[in-house]
Each structure stands twice: as structure tokens, then as C-alpha cells.
Amino acid sequence: MFRIVQIMSLILMAFSGVGTTSSQENTGTYALVGGMLIDGYEAPPVHNAVVLVEGNRIIAAGPAHEVTVPDGTPIIDTRGKTIMPGLIDMHIHLDLIGHGDYDEYYKFLRGTERLPEVMPIAAKHMMRAGVTTGVDLGSPFDILETRDRIRRGEIPGPRLVISGPWITRIKLDGVPDSYQIVISSPEEAAEKTLELIERGSDVIKTWLGLTRDDLKAIVKAAHSKGVKVHSHLYKVPAMWDAIAAGVDVMQHVGSAKMPPYPENLLRKITEDRIPVIQTIAHRIWVYPATTDNPSRLDTPELQADIPDDIYAEMQRSFKNFRALSYFKDTPDEIRHSKINARQFIEANAYMGVGTDAASPLNFHTEAMWREMAALVDSGMTPARVITAATKTGAEILGKGKELGTIQAGKLADIIVVDGDPLFDINAMKYVAVTIKDGRVWFDKKYTTDALTKIGTAF
Ligand SMILES: [Zn+2]
């Protein structure tokens, strides 16, 4: 009772006229008060916590009796909710919003012509899901325009780390040429890597058919510029090539219809702490979720963010989703994947969380909670998944000093979840408030006084 009275008086003080802030200027101070704090360290949560934000930084975080909230500070009441670091999705596609078929999607968008319309939708969806950082692994450089609009604060969206086009020996039909760089020698691979970095790639994404020498050349060129290499990998020989070449991040491993991985490979990956991003939910959990409940494909929430003609085209693509080529191997994958996913978890591999969203039916609005839930299904504890999706993600990106945990000095990327994800990870579906770089973005259905005063609705 004492606590409630204390918080109510803080709330009253907050709106007595002093100290209200403009989020646009990003210079104000505010506090999240009363919720359960998960700081990202896989440690027990702090109950009745306070997180104090000034400008774009967290300046204090801890139990209410240890953190002093200055008089007049606006208060976001988080009682009954969870405060945690913004999520880091280590594998996204900002050009995709969940359409059922890639070929038809790019035809409908007239190649890349309508990407400037689509990418902000994906970015907004990610913010609704509490994703404050996303690693885009395979977009044409059209993405730079959306990235810059997000950076200027014009539209809601996560911090973006982008690869630009992927490097491959095998051309993927059905996607525009500007998505891929097809090479035929290690020399060419090195040259194209440097070109990509010059044009704006923050990381390099490698795709299929590359030899060990290609990968070595790519890694050497990328590392000479301080850039990391993420590789699309499923099969064992390709994984050994990637390890020999010094690839920085293994993407997708553990997510497909592979027989169980050999013990020595798992041991090497774990001992060397090579980051692994499994992306297990996108077919294997999303498909059964859709057969169980097809109405998840057509909701007012989804429709609200998408122009009518694009929404109608998406609905058309979902009509007979079981027949989509994307899901042709899914029953096999479902049988294998639980073994594969569990292998990496039991080996204690160094894992971040990535979703491959928004691949078919895998909307950005849901992808992270589904991936986190799939990892819990496969043997991770909720606390470990939350750390993987926050602190570990930041470390893999080389941003561990700035992002990934809630503590004084870090950038204020914070989410408020309506429920307790340590009790049930599916609470991650209910993100109430997303704060990025100190700026408060929130969903109108969670409106409270503090949010309307200091936040930006979307
Ligand atoms: Zn992908």
C-alpha cells in the first residue's frame, strides 16, 4: 500500500506542470516506475523498479528505494508490467511484410519501385513488437533512404544495421538483381566486399555456393575495414568452410531439415564462441500456428498499417498458404528442427535471436515473440532467451557497451511488456511501450497521461 501511495504521489507530482518534456528534443528526463525490471543479465528480476532516463541515456536503474526520482519528473506507470531492454532482431528483411510468395511480391511491387512505401511499414511493425535494433541481411541499397528517415526521427523504426545486397555464386531467380552480387572467384569476392562497404554495408551477408577460398577472401576484405561477415548456413560442410574462413556469425544453423549435427562441430562452435542465430520459428512454428488459426493472417491491427491495395494483394497470396512453395518442406523441417535447435541450446552455443522476418506469414509484428517462444519450446529458459535477444545481440554487433542491458550509462532502448515473460514467454506478444534512443513511441491502445505528454503515438 505504501508503495502505491508513493507511486501515485510521484505521478501527481509529475503533472503538476514542472518538468514536462518534449520527446522530439530528446533532452527531457522521465522515469519508468513500479514495474518488474529484467536488466538483460540473466539475473533475477528487480521488483518495484525505477528506470530514470535523461535525453537518450539511462541515468539510473534499480529498486525504487535506491533510485531517487527528481520532483516534477514525468512518470510512466509500469506497475504490473515488465521493463526490459529493447529487443535486437539479428536477422530481418525490412523489404518484406509477410507476403506469401517472393516472385509475386516483387512483381506486385514492380521490382524495387514500391520499397520506399513498404519499408516504413516493416519498420513500424518492428517497433510495435519492441524491436529497437534490427540487422537487415539482404536488401538493395534502397534501404538507406528508410534508414535515414528513421534516424532523423521522421518515422518509427529500429536502429538498423544493414548488409545491402548479399554475395553469392548462385543467382536467386525471382528477386531483383539489386539484391545480390554474383561472384565467380575469390578475387572478385574480395573486390565486391570492399565495394559494398564503400556503398554503405555495415555487415557483409554471404549466401550460397561460395567456396572456402571465396569466404576467406570476403572475411579478409571485410575485416580490413572492421566489418563483420554473417553467413547463411545450413549444411555441415558449409559450416566447416565458414569456420575455417573466420566467418563472424552463423545465420540459420539449426533451423532446417538437417539430420542431427555432429558433436565435434557443435563443440567447435561452442568452444570458439562463434555467434549462432538460429531463426527457427519462421517456418516451423509459424506454419502450424497458421494452420491452427488462419485468422491470424487478417487482423485489423495488420490492416491498419498497410495501404489497401498492398493488403488486398497480401490476402490474395494467403488464400491457399499450404500450397506455397515456401512451405513445401515444412513437415520434414518440423520433424528435424526440434532436434537441431535443441542441439545448439544444449551445447550452450553463444546465441543471439533472429527471425528472418518478414518471410511469408512471418510478420514483423509477431516474429520476435514467436522466435523467443520457439527457443523456450526447444529448451532455453525465458531468462536466457531474453538475454540472447538483448545483451548477446548487442555484443555480437560490437555494441555491447551502448546497448542490450538496462543500466546507467547505456542508450535508452527500453520496452514495457504487459505481463511477465519469465513466467510465460508469450507475454512478449504484448509490448505496451517501445522507447528507442530515449524517445518514447507507444501504441495508441496503451495510452496513458504520461505517454500522451512525452510520447509519440503510432
Ligand atoms: Zn534471411
Side-chain angles (χ1 to χ4, degrees), residues 253-282:
V253 294
S255 73
K257 48 170 190 172
M258 293 296 128
Y261 287 102
E263 197 52 46
N264 62 338
L265 176 62
L266 292 163
R267 172 171 282 275
K268 175 75 178 163
I269 289 169
T270 303
E271 277 178 357
D272 288 7
R273 276 174 82 73
I274 302 170
V276 166
I277 313 296
Q278 292 204 332
T279 70
I280 57 176
H282 63 103

Side-chain angles (χ1 to χ4, degrees), residues 129-450:
V131 177
T132 51
T133 299
V135 182
D136 186 285
L137 292 176
S139 281
F141 282 113
D142 302 66
I143 195 172
L144 295 176
E145 183 192 327
T146 305
R147 183 192 71 181
D148 293 345
R149 289 185 68 199
I150 294 168
R151 279 187 184 168
R152 290 194 297 267
E154 288 169 27
I155 53 171
R159 299 171 192 276
L160 288 173
V161 173
I162 63 136
S163 73
W166 58 80
I167 300 177
T168 180
R169 271 193 189 241
I170 300 170
K171 189 174 184 304
L172 179 62
D173 291 327
V175 304
D177 287 348
S178 54
Y179 276 78
Q180 48 191 333
I181 307 284
V182 184
I183 59 102
S184 54
S185 70
E187 295 71 32
E188 196 184 4
E191 188 188 308
K192 295 294 181 190
T193 299
L194 294 173
E195 240 176 76
L196 284 170
I197 295 166
E198 186 69 26
R199 291 179 66 191
S201 298
D202 303 311
V203 294
I204 295 295
K205 156 91 175 279
T206 69
W207 202 56
L208 289 182
L210 299 165
T211 66
R212 188 175 286 202
D213 286 343
D214 293 339
L215 288 170
K216 278 185 180 163
I218 291 167
V219 168
K220 191 169 171 225
H223 286 186
S224 77
K225 300 288 178 189
V227 166
K228 292 187 177 181
V229 177
H230 293 238
S231 289
H232 169 112
L233 297 165
Y234 288 102
K235 292 188 175 168
V236 171
M239 286 163 72
W240 282 120
D241 283 343
I243 291 169
V247 157
D248 299 286
V249 184
M250 302 180 113
Q251 292 279 350
H252 296 308
V253 294
S255 73
K257 48 170 190 172
M258 293 296 128
Y261 287 102
E263 197 52 46
N264 62 338
L265 176 62
L266 292 163
R267 172 171 282 275
K268 175 75 178 163
I269 289 169
T270 303
E271 277 178 357
D272 288 7
R273 276 174 82 73
I274 302 170
V276 166
I277 313 296
Q278 292 204 332
T279 70
I280 57 176
H282 63 103
R283 276 188 276 250
I284 295 146
W285 271 261
V286 166
Y287 179 82
T290 312
T291 51
D292 287 352
N293 177 23
S295 70
R296 67 172 284 270
L297 299 176
D298 182 12
T299 63
E301 291 76 21
L302 201 57
Q303 186 167 20
D305 289 330
I306 302 177
D308 289 348
D309 66 326
I310 299 180
Y311 194 71
E313 166 58 21
M314 285 173 70
Q315 293 305 315
R316 191 201 58 72
S317 79
F318 299 153
K319 275 286 176 293
N320 185 11
F321 67 85
R322 285 178 189 76
L324 291 170
S325 67
Y326 190 73
F327 297 111
K328 70 180 185 329
D329 296 331
T330 300
D332 278 342
E333 287 172 352
I334 288 171
R335 284 185 282 272
H336 279 292
S337 66
K338 299 213 172 165
I339 303 167
N340 293 160
R342 194 172 281 275
Q343 280 191 295
F344 285 91
I345 292 167
E346 285 176 356
N348 201 28
Y350 184 54
M351 287 171 51
V353 179
T355 63
D356 213 13
S359 48
L361 284 50
N362 184 26
F363 308 118
H364 291 285
T365 45
E366 301 182 346
M368 269 305 258
W369 78 259
R370 285 193 187 280
E371 183 73 20
M372 293 169 81
L375 288 164
V376 169
D377 266 5
S378 306
M380 281 176 102
T381 62
R384 184 174 164 200
V385 172
I386 289 168
T387 293
T390 55
K391 179 173 173 281
T392 310
E395 288 164 4
I396 295 170
L397 291 173
K399 296 180 193 292
K401 289 207 171 77
E402 291 283 70
L403 296 173
T405 59
I406 304 235
Q407 65 189 90
K410 291 241 173 148
L411 289 168
D413 284 13
I414 303 167
I415 61 174
V416 179
V417 174
D418 200 357
D420 177 359
L422 295 177
F423 174 71
D424 180 357
I425 196 67
N426 291 297
M428 294 306 303
K429 183 179 181 183
Y430 305 104
V431 172
V433 182
T434 300
I435 298 169
K436 192 197 74 185
D437 212 29
R439 183 164 173 187
V440 182
W441 301 85
F442 69 98
D443 194 317
K444 285 173 197 137
K445 64 179 178 285
Y446 293 105
T447 301
T448 69
D449 276 359

